[in-house]
Amino acid sequence: ADFEICKTCIDGGFTSVMIDGSARSFEDNIAETRKVVEYAHAHGVVVEAELGKLAGIEDDVNVHADDAQFTNPGEVEEFVTKTGVDSLAIAIGTSHGPCKFSGEARLDFERLDAIAARLPGVPLVLHGASSVPQEAVAAVNAHGGNVAGTSGVPEDLLRRAAASAICKINIDRDLRLAVTAAIRTLLTERPETFDPRAYLTAGREAVRGMVRHKIRAVLGSSGQA
Protein backbone atom coordinates (compact mmCIF):
# COMPACT_ATOMS: atom_id res chain seq x y z
CA ALA A 1 0.00 0.00 0.00
CA ASP A 2 2.86 2.42 0.67
CA PHE A 3 6.61 2.91 0.96
CA GLU A 4 6.84 1.81 4.60
CA ILE A 5 5.30 -1.61 3.93
CA CYS A 6 7.59 -2.15 0.94
CA LYS A 7 10.61 -1.03 2.97
CA THR A 8 9.74 -3.53 5.71
CA CYS A 9 9.53 -6.32 3.14
CA ILE A 10 12.81 -5.32 1.51
CA ASP A 11 14.57 -5.11 4.87
CA GLY A 12 13.13 -8.53 5.70
CA GLY A 13 14.77 -10.14 2.68
CA PHE A 14 12.15 -10.11 -0.07
CA THR A 15 13.70 -9.95 -3.55
CA SER A 16 10.71 -8.28 -5.19
CA VAL A 17 7.88 -6.02 -4.00
CA MET A 18 4.67 -4.65 -5.46
CA ILE A 19 3.57 -1.09 -4.70
CA ASP A 20 -0.07 -0.36 -5.48
CA GLY A 21 -0.52 3.40 -5.69
CA SER A 22 -3.49 3.16 -8.04
CA ALA A 23 -5.84 4.72 -5.48
CA ARG A 24 -3.67 7.85 -5.48
CA SER A 25 -3.59 10.64 -8.02
CA PHE A 26 -1.33 10.10 -11.02
CA GLU A 27 1.28 12.45 -9.57
CA ASP A 28 1.17 10.91 -6.09
CA ASN A 29 1.34 7.41 -7.54
CA ILE A 30 4.51 8.40 -9.38
CA ALA A 31 6.03 9.97 -6.27
CA GLU A 32 5.32 7.01 -3.97
CA THR A 33 6.36 4.45 -6.57
CA ARG A 34 9.59 6.31 -7.30
CA LYS A 35 10.40 6.35 -3.58
CA VAL A 36 9.93 2.58 -3.41
CA VAL A 37 11.96 1.99 -6.56
CA GLU A 38 14.91 4.04 -5.34
CA TYR A 39 15.08 2.14 -2.04
CA ALA A 40 14.43 -1.24 -3.66
CA HIS A 41 17.01 -0.89 -6.42
CA ALA A 42 19.61 0.21 -3.89
CA HIS A 43 19.04 -3.18 -2.22
CA GLY A 44 18.95 -5.26 -5.40
CA VAL A 45 15.15 -5.67 -5.28
CA VAL A 46 12.79 -5.38 -8.26
CA VAL A 47 9.51 -3.47 -8.15
CA GLU A 48 6.10 -3.94 -9.73
CA ALA A 49 3.72 -0.98 -9.73
CA GLU A 50 0.11 -0.48 -10.79
CA LEU A 51 -1.45 2.14 -13.05
CA GLY A 52 -5.22 2.04 -13.41
CA LYS A 53 -7.68 0.94 -10.78
CA LEU A 54 -9.28 -2.53 -10.67
CA ALA A 55 -12.79 -2.88 -9.28
CA GLY A 56 -13.56 -5.43 -6.59
CA ILE A 57 -12.28 -6.47 -3.19
CA GLU A 58 -8.69 -7.43 -2.45
CA ASP A 59 -7.75 -7.88 1.20
CA ASP A 60 -8.92 -4.64 2.86
CA VAL A 61 -9.23 -2.65 -0.38
CA ASN A 62 -12.73 -2.29 -1.82
CA VAL A 63 -13.10 -0.43 -5.13
CA HIS A 64 -16.64 0.08 -6.48
CA ALA A 65 -17.14 -0.59 -10.17
CA ASP A 66 -18.07 3.07 -10.71
CA ASP A 67 -14.63 4.08 -9.40
CA ALA A 68 -12.65 1.60 -11.48
CA GLN A 69 -10.39 3.12 -14.11
CA PHE A 70 -8.77 1.45 -17.10
CA THR A 71 -5.10 2.26 -17.61
CA ASN A 72 -4.63 5.27 -19.87
CA PRO A 73 -2.12 4.39 -22.62
CA GLY A 74 -1.16 8.06 -22.80
CA GLU A 75 0.18 7.96 -19.24
CA VAL A 76 2.24 4.79 -19.23
CA GLU A 77 5.46 6.14 -20.74
CA GLU A 78 5.64 9.05 -18.32
CA PHE A 79 4.86 6.78 -15.38
CA VAL A 80 7.52 4.19 -16.19
CA THR A 81 10.13 6.80 -17.11
CA LYS A 82 9.65 8.86 -13.96
CA THR A 83 9.42 5.89 -11.56
CA GLY A 84 11.97 3.50 -13.05
CA VAL A 85 9.67 0.61 -12.17
CA ASP A 86 10.61 -2.87 -13.41
CA SER A 87 7.13 -4.12 -14.36
CA LEU A 88 3.69 -2.56 -14.62
CA ALA A 89 0.28 -3.97 -13.69
CA ILE A 90 -2.42 -2.53 -15.92
CA ALA A 91 -6.22 -2.44 -15.83
CA ILE A 92 -7.90 -3.70 -19.01
CA GLY A 93 -11.11 -5.19 -17.62
CA THR A 94 -10.30 -7.72 -14.91
CA SER A 95 -11.30 -7.17 -11.28
CA HIS A 96 -10.59 -8.49 -7.81
CA GLY A 97 -13.09 -10.64 -5.96
CA PRO A 98 -15.32 -13.60 -6.86
CA CYS A 99 -17.44 -11.90 -9.53
CA LYS A 100 -15.37 -10.41 -12.35
CA PHE A 101 -18.01 -9.22 -14.80
CA SER A 102 -21.60 -8.01 -14.51
CA GLY A 103 -22.29 -8.78 -18.17
CA GLU A 104 -20.35 -10.36 -21.01
CA ALA A 105 -16.78 -11.19 -20.11
CA ARG A 106 -14.34 -9.15 -22.15
CA LEU A 107 -10.87 -7.66 -21.91
CA ASP A 108 -9.79 -4.50 -23.72
CA PHE A 109 -7.11 -5.96 -25.98
CA GLU A 110 -6.94 -2.79 -28.07
CA ARG A 111 -5.92 -0.93 -24.94
CA LEU A 112 -3.38 -3.64 -24.15
CA ASP A 113 -1.86 -3.33 -27.62
CA ALA A 114 -1.69 0.46 -27.30
CA ILE A 115 0.07 0.20 -23.94
CA ALA A 116 2.49 -2.45 -25.17
CA ALA A 117 3.40 -0.31 -28.19
CA ARG A 118 4.39 2.51 -25.85
CA LEU A 119 6.37 0.28 -23.47
CA PRO A 120 8.53 -2.08 -25.54
CA GLY A 121 10.52 -4.35 -23.29
CA VAL A 122 8.59 -3.49 -20.12
CA PRO A 123 6.88 -6.55 -18.59
CA LEU A 124 3.12 -6.00 -18.25
CA VAL A 125 1.09 -7.66 -15.52
CA LEU A 126 -2.57 -8.65 -15.22
CA HIS A 127 -4.19 -8.77 -11.79
CA GLY A 128 -7.57 -10.20 -10.82
CA ALA A 129 -7.34 -13.01 -13.36
CA SER A 130 -8.91 -16.03 -11.67
CA SER A 131 -11.32 -17.99 -13.83
CA VAL A 132 -13.35 -19.24 -10.82
CA PRO A 133 -13.85 -22.84 -12.03
CA GLN A 134 -17.46 -23.72 -11.41
CA GLU A 135 -16.68 -27.37 -10.68
CA ALA A 136 -14.63 -26.23 -7.69
CA VAL A 137 -17.41 -23.91 -6.55
CA ALA A 138 -19.89 -26.78 -6.88
CA ALA A 139 -17.63 -29.09 -4.87
CA VAL A 140 -17.30 -26.53 -2.07
CA ASN A 141 -21.06 -25.99 -1.94
CA ALA A 142 -21.84 -29.71 -2.14
CA HIS A 143 -19.79 -30.29 0.98
CA GLY A 144 -21.15 -27.64 3.31
CA GLY A 145 -19.90 -24.45 1.69
CA ASN A 146 -21.86 -21.41 0.58
CA VAL A 147 -19.92 -19.75 -2.24
CA ALA A 148 -22.39 -17.83 -4.37
CA GLY A 149 -22.44 -15.28 -7.17
CA THR A 150 -19.14 -16.21 -8.72
CA SER A 151 -17.85 -15.67 -12.24
CA GLY A 152 -14.30 -15.39 -13.48
CA VAL A 153 -12.17 -14.48 -16.46
CA PRO A 154 -12.66 -17.11 -19.19
CA GLU A 155 -9.47 -19.02 -19.80
CA ASP A 156 -9.53 -18.29 -23.53
CA LEU A 157 -9.16 -14.59 -22.72
CA LEU A 158 -6.22 -15.37 -20.44
CA ARG A 159 -4.62 -17.46 -23.19
CA ARG A 160 -4.95 -14.50 -25.55
CA ALA A 161 -3.47 -12.11 -22.98
CA ALA A 162 -0.57 -14.46 -22.29
CA ALA A 163 0.09 -14.83 -26.00
CA SER A 164 0.08 -11.05 -26.36
CA ALA A 165 2.06 -8.56 -24.23
CA ILE A 166 1.13 -9.77 -20.75
CA CYS A 167 4.16 -11.37 -19.06
CA LYS A 168 2.69 -12.18 -15.64
CA ILE A 169 -0.87 -13.10 -14.66
CA ASN A 170 -1.99 -13.12 -11.02
CA ILE A 171 -4.33 -15.97 -10.09
CA ASP A 172 -5.41 -16.40 -6.47
CA ARG A 173 -9.07 -17.33 -6.03
CA ASP A 174 -8.81 -20.46 -8.18
CA LEU A 175 -6.16 -21.82 -5.82
CA ARG A 176 -8.28 -20.97 -2.77
CA LEU A 177 -11.24 -22.76 -4.30
CA ALA A 178 -9.14 -25.80 -5.19
CA VAL A 179 -7.73 -26.28 -1.69
CA THR A 180 -11.07 -25.59 0.01
CA ALA A 181 -12.97 -27.98 -2.26
CA ALA A 182 -10.44 -30.76 -1.66
CA ILE A 183 -10.44 -30.35 2.11
CA ARG A 184 -14.22 -30.08 2.41
CA THR A 185 -14.69 -33.12 0.19
CA LEU A 186 -12.24 -35.26 2.15
CA LEU A 187 -13.66 -34.30 5.54
CA THR A 188 -17.20 -35.01 4.34
CA GLU A 189 -16.40 -38.34 2.70
CA ARG A 190 -14.05 -39.42 5.50
CA PRO A 191 -15.58 -37.85 8.62
CA GLU A 192 -13.32 -39.92 10.85
CA THR A 193 -10.33 -37.90 9.60
CA PHE A 194 -8.80 -35.51 12.10
CA ASP A 195 -5.14 -35.59 11.12
CA PRO A 196 -4.20 -32.33 9.35
CA ARG A 197 -1.58 -34.22 7.36
CA ALA A 198 -4.36 -36.08 5.60
CA TYR A 199 -6.60 -33.20 4.59
CA LEU A 200 -3.77 -30.70 4.01
CA THR A 201 -2.12 -33.25 1.70
CA ALA A 202 -5.35 -33.39 -0.29
CA GLY A 203 -5.44 -29.61 -0.39
CA ARG A 204 -1.85 -29.33 -1.57
CA GLU A 205 -2.42 -31.88 -4.31
CA ALA A 206 -5.47 -29.96 -5.51
CA VAL A 207 -3.45 -26.75 -5.69
CA ARG A 208 -0.66 -28.60 -7.49
CA GLY A 209 -3.16 -29.82 -10.09
CA MET A 210 -4.67 -26.36 -10.54
CA VAL A 211 -1.25 -24.74 -10.97
CA ARG A 212 -0.18 -27.43 -13.43
CA HIS A 213 -3.34 -26.79 -15.46
CA LYS A 214 -2.78 -23.04 -15.52
CA ILE A 215 0.88 -23.36 -16.52
CA ARG A 216 0.35 -25.94 -19.26
CA ALA A 217 -3.13 -25.29 -20.63
CA VAL A 218 -3.74 -21.60 -20.03
CA LEU A 219 -0.62 -19.49 -19.65
CA GLY A 220 1.72 -21.38 -21.94
CA SER A 221 4.54 -20.90 -19.45
CA SER A 222 5.68 -24.52 -19.17
CA GLY A 223 9.43 -24.74 -19.59
CA GLN A 224 9.85 -20.96 -19.57
CA ALA A 225 11.42 -20.58 -16.11
Side-chain angles (χ1 to χ4, degrees), residues 28-62:
D28 288 347
N29 191 357
I30 287 177
E32 189 75 357
T33 300
R34 182 62 199 172
K35 187 177 179 182
V36 172
V37 169
E38 289 175 347
Y39 190 81
H41 284 182
H43 292 78
V45 173
V46 296
V47 181
E48 176 184 324
E50 186 165 344
L51 186 61
K53 191 182 302 183
L54 269 65
I57 301 173
E58 181 184 35
D59 298 324
D60 295 327
V61 180
N62 189 340

mmCIF file of all heavy atoms in Angstrom, residues 28-62:
data_model
loop_
_atom_site.group_PDB
_atom_site.id
_atom_site.type_symbol
_atom_site.label_atom_id
_atom_site.label_comp_id
_atom_site.label_asym_id
_atom_site.label_seq_id
_atom_site.Cartn_x
_atom_site.Cartn_y
_atom_site.Cartn_z
ATOM 1 N N ASP A 28 0.805 11.546 -7.359
ATOM 2 C CA ASP A 28 1.165 10.915 -6.087
ATOM 3 C C ASP A 28 1.584 9.462 -6.275
ATOM 4 O O ASP A 28 2.455 8.956 -5.555
ATOM 5 C CB ASP A 28 -0.005 10.995 -5.099
ATOM 6 C CG ASP A 28 -0.216 12.402 -4.578
ATOM 7 O OD1 ASP A 28 0.682 13.251 -4.774
ATOM 8 O OD2 ASP A 28 -1.281 12.665 -3.974
ATOM 9 N N ASN A 29 0.949 8.790 -7.230
ATOM 10 C CA ASN A 29 1.335 7.410 -7.544
ATOM 11 C C ASN A 29 2.779 7.386 -8.032
ATOM 12 O O ASN A 29 3.584 6.542 -7.609
ATOM 13 C CB ASN A 29 0.395 6.838 -8.605
ATOM 14 C CG ASN A 29 0.557 5.336 -8.809
ATOM 15 O OD1 ASN A 29 1.404 4.695 -8.203
ATOM 16 N ND2 ASN A 29 -0.271 4.769 -9.666
ATOM 17 N N ILE A 30 3.135 8.314 -8.893
ATOM 18 C CA ILE A 30 4.507 8.397 -9.384
ATOM 19 C C ILE A 30 5.475 8.648 -8.230
ATOM 20 O O ILE A 30 6.510 7.981 -8.108
ATOM 21 C CB ILE A 30 4.644 9.520 -10.441
ATOM 22 C CG1 ILE A 30 3.972 9.099 -11.748
ATOM 23 C CG2 ILE A 30 6.119 9.859 -10.680
ATOM 24 C CD1 ILE A 30 4.002 10.162 -12.826
ATOM 25 N N ALA A 31 5.133 9.601 -7.365
ATOM 26 C CA ALA A 31 6.034 9.968 -6.274
ATOM 27 C C ALA A 31 6.267 8.804 -5.312
ATOM 28 O O ALA A 31 7.412 8.511 -4.928
ATOM 29 C CB ALA A 31 5.471 11.170 -5.528
ATOM 30 N N GLU A 32 5.187 8.115 -4.921
ATOM 31 C CA GLU A 32 5.322 7.008 -3.972
ATOM 32 C C GLU A 32 6.042 5.829 -4.609
ATOM 33 O O GLU A 32 6.895 5.186 -3.984
ATOM 34 C CB GLU A 32 3.938 6.580 -3.473
ATOM 35 C CG GLU A 32 3.962 5.589 -2.319
ATOM 36 C CD GLU A 32 4.324 6.232 -0.992
ATOM 37 O OE1 GLU A 32 4.608 7.459 -0.971
ATOM 38 O OE2 GLU A 32 4.329 5.526 0.030
ATOM 39 N N THR A 33 5.716 5.552 -5.869
ATOM 40 C CA THR A 33 6.359 4.446 -6.567
ATOM 41 C C THR A 33 7.846 4.724 -6.750
ATOM 42 O O THR A 33 8.688 3.829 -6.558
ATOM 43 C CB THR A 33 5.689 4.205 -7.929
ATOM 44 O OG1 THR A 33 4.305 3.877 -7.732
ATOM 45 C CG2 THR A 33 6.365 3.070 -8.683
ATOM 46 N N ARG A 34 8.187 5.958 -7.122
ATOM 47 C CA ARG A 34 9.593 6.314 -7.301
ATOM 48 C C ARG A 34 10.374 6.139 -5.996
ATOM 49 O O ARG A 34 11.511 5.650 -5.991
ATOM 50 C CB ARG A 34 9.716 7.764 -7.784
ATOM 51 C CG ARG A 34 11.168 8.209 -8.039
ATOM 52 C CD ARG A 34 11.807 7.387 -9.125
ATOM 53 N NE ARG A 34 13.259 7.471 -9.094
ATOM 54 C CZ ARG A 34 14.067 6.732 -9.846
ATOM 55 N NH1 ARG A 34 13.548 5.835 -10.671
ATOM 56 N NH2 ARG A 34 15.368 6.851 -9.758
ATOM 57 N N LYS A 35 9.749 6.495 -4.888
ATOM 58 C CA LYS A 35 10.397 6.349 -3.580
ATOM 59 C C LYS A 35 10.691 4.876 -3.294
ATOM 60 O O LYS A 35 11.776 4.523 -2.810
ATOM 61 C CB LYS A 35 9.487 6.940 -2.505
ATOM 62 C CG LYS A 35 10.101 7.006 -1.117
ATOM 63 C CD LYS A 35 9.123 7.680 -0.159
ATOM 64 C CE LYS A 35 9.698 7.733 1.261
ATOM 65 N NZ LYS A 35 8.721 8.354 2.205
ATOM 66 N N VAL A 36 9.732 4.014 -3.605
ATOM 67 C CA VAL A 36 9.927 2.577 -3.409
ATOM 68 C C VAL A 36 11.021 2.057 -4.326
ATOM 69 O O VAL A 36 11.896 1.291 -3.900
ATOM 70 C CB VAL A 36 8.611 1.814 -3.654
ATOM 71 C CG1 VAL A 36 8.854 0.310 -3.656
ATOM 72 C CG2 VAL A 36 7.568 2.183 -2.611
ATOM 73 N N VAL A 37 10.986 2.466 -5.585
ATOM 74 C CA VAL A 37 11.963 1.985 -6.563
ATOM 75 C C VAL A 37 13.381 2.370 -6.155
ATOM 76 O O VAL A 37 14.314 1.550 -6.234
ATOM 77 C CB VAL A 37 11.639 2.536 -7.969
ATOM 78 C CG1 VAL A 37 12.802 2.274 -8.935
ATOM 79 C CG2 VAL A 37 10.362 1.909 -8.507
ATOM 80 N N GLU A 38 13.578 3.591 -5.721
ATOM 81 C CA GLU A 38 14.912 4.043 -5.337
ATOM 82 C C GLU A 38 15.467 3.196 -4.188
ATOM 83 O O GLU A 38 16.632 2.784 -4.215
ATOM 84 C CB GLU A 38 14.878 5.524 -4.954
ATOM 85 C CG GLU A 38 14.662 6.446 -6.150
ATOM 86 C CD GLU A 38 14.519 7.897 -5.746
ATOM 87 O OE1 GLU A 38 14.332 8.164 -4.529
ATOM 88 O OE2 GLU A 38 14.591 8.773 -6.633
ATOM 89 N N TYR A 39 14.627 2.936 -3.179
ATOM 90 C CA TYR A 39 15.076 2.142 -2.041
ATOM 91 C C TYR A 39 15.290 0.687 -2.452
ATOM 92 O O TYR A 39 16.279 0.057 -2.072
ATOM 93 C CB TYR A 39 14.050 2.220 -0.912
ATOM 94 C CG TYR A 39 14.545 1.611 0.388
ATOM 95 C CD1 TYR A 39 15.366 2.328 1.240
ATOM 96 C CD2 TYR A 39 14.191 0.312 0.751
ATOM 97 C CE1 TYR A 39 15.837 1.782 2.426
ATOM 98 C CE2 TYR A 39 14.655 -0.256 1.931
ATOM 99 C CZ TYR A 39 15.477 0.481 2.763
ATOM 100 O OH TYR A 39 15.946 -0.070 3.934
ATOM 101 N N ALA A 40 14.353 0.159 -3.244
ATOM 102 C CA ALA A 40 14.430 -1.244 -3.658
ATOM 103 C C ALA A 40 15.662 -1.507 -4.514
ATOM 104 O O ALA A 40 16.410 -2.464 -4.286
ATOM 105 C CB ALA A 40 13.167 -1.636 -4.414
ATOM 106 N N HIS A 41 15.879 -0.678 -5.523
ATOM 107 C CA HIS A 41 17.007 -0.893 -6.424
ATOM 108 C C HIS A 41 18.344 -0.765 -5.698
ATOM 109 O O HIS A 41 19.322 -1.449 -6.056
ATOM 110 C CB HIS A 41 16.933 0.096 -7.587
ATOM 111 C CG HIS A 41 15.896 -0.269 -8.600
ATOM 112 N ND1 HIS A 41 15.684 0.446 -9.754
ATOM 113 C CD2 HIS A 41 14.999 -1.298 -8.632
ATOM 114 C CE1 HIS A 41 14.703 -0.118 -10.458
ATOM 115 N NE2 HIS A 41 14.277 -1.178 -9.796
ATOM 116 N N ALA A 42 18.386 0.085 -4.674
ATOM 117 C CA ALA A 42 19.612 0.211 -3.891
ATOM 118 C C ALA A 42 19.908 -1.062 -3.108
ATOM 119 O O ALA A 42 21.046 -1.279 -2.662
ATOM 120 C CB ALA A 42 19.499 1.396 -2.930
ATOM 121 N N HIS A 43 18.887 -1.922 -2.948
ATOM 122 C CA HIS A 43 19.040 -3.182 -2.222
ATOM 123 C C HIS A 43 18.910 -4.385 -3.144
ATOM 124 O O HIS A 43 18.719 -5.518 -2.683
ATOM 125 C CB HIS A 43 17.996 -3.267 -1.099
ATOM 126 C CG HIS A 43 18.221 -2.281 0.013
ATOM 127 N ND1 HIS A 43 17.871 -0.951 -0.102
ATOM 128 C CD2 HIS A 43 18.773 -2.429 1.250
ATOM 129 C CE1 HIS A 43 18.181 -0.327 1.024
ATOM 130 N NE2 HIS A 43 18.737 -1.190 1.850
ATOM 131 N N GLY A 44 18.996 -4.162 -4.454
ATOM 132 C CA GLY A 44 18.945 -5.265 -5.405
ATOM 133 C C GLY A 44 17.580 -5.912 -5.533
ATOM 134 O O GLY A 44 17.478 -7.091 -5.892
ATOM 135 N N VAL A 45 16.519 -5.148 -5.255
ATOM 136 C CA VAL A 45 15.150 -5.670 -5.276
ATOM 137 C C VAL A 45 14.385 -5.057 -6.441
ATOM 138 O O VAL A 45 14.515 -3.857 -6.716
ATOM 139 C CB VAL A 45 14.438 -5.353 -3.939
ATOM 140 C CG1 VAL A 45 12.958 -5.732 -3.992
ATOM 141 C CG2 VAL A 45 15.135 -6.076 -2.789
ATOM 142 N N VAL A 46 13.587 -5.874 -7.128
ATOM 143 C CA VAL A 46 12.794 -5.379 -8.256
ATOM 144 C C VAL A 46 11.403 -4.978 -7.790
ATOM 145 O O VAL A 46 10.899 -5.455 -6.769
ATOM 146 C CB VAL A 46 12.693 -6.430 -9.380
ATOM 147 C CG1 VAL A 46 14.056 -6.705 -9.973
ATOM 148 C CG2 VAL A 46 12.067 -7.710 -8.863
ATOM 149 N N VAL A 47 10.778 -4.081 -8.567
ATOM 150 C CA VAL A 47 9.510 -3.474 -8.149
ATOM 151 C C VAL A 47 8.468 -3.572 -9.255
ATOM 152 O O VAL A 47 8.738 -3.266 -10.418
ATOM 153 C CB VAL A 47 9.693 -1.987 -7.777
ATOM 154 C CG1 VAL A 47 8.369 -1.380 -7.317
ATOM 155 C CG2 VAL A 47 10.752 -1.837 -6.693
ATOM 156 N N GLU A 48 7.278 -3.995 -8.866
ATOM 157 C CA GLU A 48 6.100 -3.945 -9.727
ATOM 158 C C GLU A 48 5.192 -2.840 -9.213
ATOM 159 O O GLU A 48 5.004 -2.693 -8.006
ATOM 160 C CB GLU A 48 5.359 -5.282 -9.691
ATOM 161 C CG GLU A 48 4.052 -5.304 -10.483
ATOM 162 C CD GLU A 48 3.317 -6.628 -10.333
ATOM 163 O OE1 GLU A 48 3.992 -7.673 -10.259
ATOM 164 O OE2 GLU A 48 2.068 -6.612 -10.276
ATOM 165 N N ALA A 49 4.641 -2.053 -10.113
ATOM 166 C CA ALA A 49 3.716 -0.982 -9.731
ATOM 167 C C ALA A 49 2.412 -1.170 -10.483
ATOM 168 O O ALA A 49 2.288 -2.053 -11.337
ATOM 169 C CB ALA A 49 4.318 0.391 -10.032
ATOM 170 N N GLU A 50 1.432 -0.345 -10.165
ATOM 171 C CA GLU A 50 0.115 -0.477 -10.786
ATOM 172 C C GLU A 50 -0.376 0.885 -11.258
ATOM 173 O O GLU A 50 -0.305 1.873 -10.528
ATOM 174 C CB GLU A 50 -0.888 -1.088 -9.798
ATOM 175 C CG GLU A 50 -2.241 -1.387 -10.417
ATOM 176 C CD GLU A 50 -3.102 -2.299 -9.559
ATOM 177 O OE1 GLU A 50 -2.548 -2.939 -8.635
ATOM 178 O OE2 GLU A 50 -4.316 -2.379 -9.804
ATOM 179 N N LEU A 51 -0.881 0.922 -12.476
ATOM 180 C CA LEU A 51 -1.450 2.139 -13.046
ATOM 181 C C LEU A 51 -2.815 1.793 -13.621
ATOM 182 O O LEU A 51 -2.929 0.935 -14.493
ATOM 183 C CB LEU A 51 -0.534 2.703 -14.136
ATOM 184 C CG LEU A 51 -0.925 4.056 -14.730
ATOM 185 C CD1 LEU A 51 -0.938 5.140 -13.652
ATOM 186 C CD2 LEU A 51 0.039 4.443 -15.851
ATOM 187 N N GLY A 52 -3.845 2.445 -13.118
ATOM 188 C CA GLY A 52 -5.217 2.043 -13.411
ATOM 189 C C GLY A 52 -5.772 1.369 -12.184
ATOM 190 O O GLY A 52 -5.026 0.818 -11.365
ATOM 191 N N LYS A 53 -7.065 1.402 -12.027
ATOM 192 C CA LYS A 53 -7.679 0.940 -10.784
ATOM 193 C C LYS A 53 -8.661 -0.195 -11.066
ATOM 194 O O LYS A 53 -9.647 -0.021 -11.780
ATOM 195 C CB LYS A 53 -8.404 2.108 -10.107
ATOM 196 C CG LYS A 53 -8.859 1.841 -8.690
ATOM 197 C CD LYS A 53 -9.612 3.052 -8.138
ATOM 198 C CE LYS A 53 -8.770 4.307 -8.156
ATOM 199 N NZ LYS A 53 -9.500 5.450 -7.556
ATOM 200 N N LEU A 54 -8.399 -1.383 -10.498
ATOM 201 C CA LEU A 54 -9.281 -2.529 -10.668
ATOM 202 C C LEU A 54 -10.439 -2.458 -9.691
ATOM 203 O O LEU A 54 -10.250 -2.143 -8.510
ATOM 204 C CB LEU A 54 -8.525 -3.838 -10.442
ATOM 205 C CG LEU A 54 -7.891 -4.498 -11.673
ATOM 206 C CD1 LEU A 54 -6.790 -3.609 -12.232
ATOM 207 C CD2 LEU A 54 -7.345 -5.866 -11.328
ATOM 208 N N ALA A 55 -11.639 -2.780 -10.175
ATOM 209 C CA ALA A 55 -12.793 -2.881 -9.284
ATOM 210 C C ALA A 55 -12.698 -4.161 -8.470
ATOM 211 O O ALA A 55 -11.944 -5.078 -8.796
ATOM 212 C CB ALA A 55 -14.089 -2.876 -10.102
ATOM 213 N N GLY A 56 -13.478 -4.217 -7.381
ATOM 214 C CA GLY A 56 -13.561 -5.433 -6.590
ATOM 215 C C GLY A 56 -12.885 -5.301 -5.252
ATOM 216 O O GLY A 56 -12.432 -4.234 -4.844
ATOM 217 N N ILE A 57 -12.818 -6.434 -4.544
ATOM 218 C CA ILE A 57 -12.276 -6.471 -3.189
ATOM 219 C C ILE A 57 -11.011 -7.303 -3.167
ATOM 220 O O ILE A 57 -10.990 -8.434 -3.624
ATOM 221 C CB ILE A 57 -13.301 -7.062 -2.203
ATOM 222 C CG1 ILE A 57 -14.585 -6.228 -2.212
ATOM 223 C CG2 ILE A 57 -12.725 -7.137 -0.799
ATOM 224 C CD1 ILE A 57 -15.702 -6.840 -1.396
ATOM 225 N N GLU A 58 -9.938 -6.718 -2.649
ATOM 226 C CA GLU A 58 -8.686 -7.432 -2.451
ATOM 227 C C GLU A 58 -8.179 -7.091 -1.058
ATOM 228 O O GLU A 58 -7.833 -5.946 -0.773
ATOM 229 C CB GLU A 58 -7.643 -7.041 -3.501
ATOM 230 C CG GLU A 58 -6.335 -7.805 -3.330
ATOM 231 C CD GLU A 58 -5.270 -7.341 -4.315
ATOM 232 O OE1 GLU A 58 -5.235 -6.148 -4.627
ATOM 233 O OE2 GLU A 58 -4.473 -8.193 -4.751
ATOM 234 N N ASP A 59 -8.130 -8.099 -0.190
ATOM 235 C CA ASP A 59 -7.748 -7.884 1.199
ATOM 236 C C ASP A 59 -8.663 -6.811 1.805
ATOM 237 O O ASP A 59 -9.863 -6.991 1.844
ATOM 238 C CB ASP A 59 -6.264 -7.513 1.301
ATOM 239 C CG ASP A 59 -5.374 -8.638 0.778
ATOM 240 O OD1 ASP A 59 -5.739 -9.813 0.996
ATOM 241 O OD2 ASP A 59 -4.352 -8.356 0.161
ATOM 242 N N ASP A 60 -8.107 -5.679 2.240
ATOM 243 C CA ASP A 60 -8.923 -4.637 2.865
ATOM 244 C C ASP A 60 -9.286 -3.520 1.900
ATOM 245 O O ASP A 60 -9.849 -2.499 2.306
ATOM 246 C CB ASP A 60 -8.178 -4.031 4.071
ATOM 247 C CG ASP A 60 -7.977 -5.061 5.172
ATOM 248 O OD1 ASP A 60 -8.853 -5.926 5.332
ATOM 249 O OD2 ASP A 60 -6.940 -4.998 5.855
ATOM 250 N N VAL A 61 -8.974 -3.696 0.614
ATOM 251 C CA VAL A 61 -9.226 -2.654 -0.376
ATOM 252 C C VAL A 61 -10.494 -2.991 -1.157
ATOM 253 O O VAL A 61 -10.591 -4.051 -1.768
ATOM 254 C CB VAL A 61 -8.035 -2.502 -1.338
ATOM 255 C CG1 VAL A 61 -8.313 -1.411 -2.364
ATOM 256 C CG2 VAL A 61 -6.762 -2.198 -0.553
ATOM 257 N N ASN A 62 -11.452 -2.082 -1.138
ATOM 258 C CA ASN A 62 -12.727 -2.286 -1.823
ATOM 259 C C ASN A 62 -12.940 -1.144 -2.800
ATOM 260 O O ASN A 62 -13.099 0.010 -2.393
ATOM 261 C CB ASN A 62 -13.869 -2.347 -0.799
ATOM 262 C CG ASN A 62 -15.182 -2.785 -1.441
ATOM 263 O OD1 ASN A 62 -15.347 -2.693 -2.647
ATOM 264 N ND2 ASN A 62 -16.112 -3.244 -0.634
#
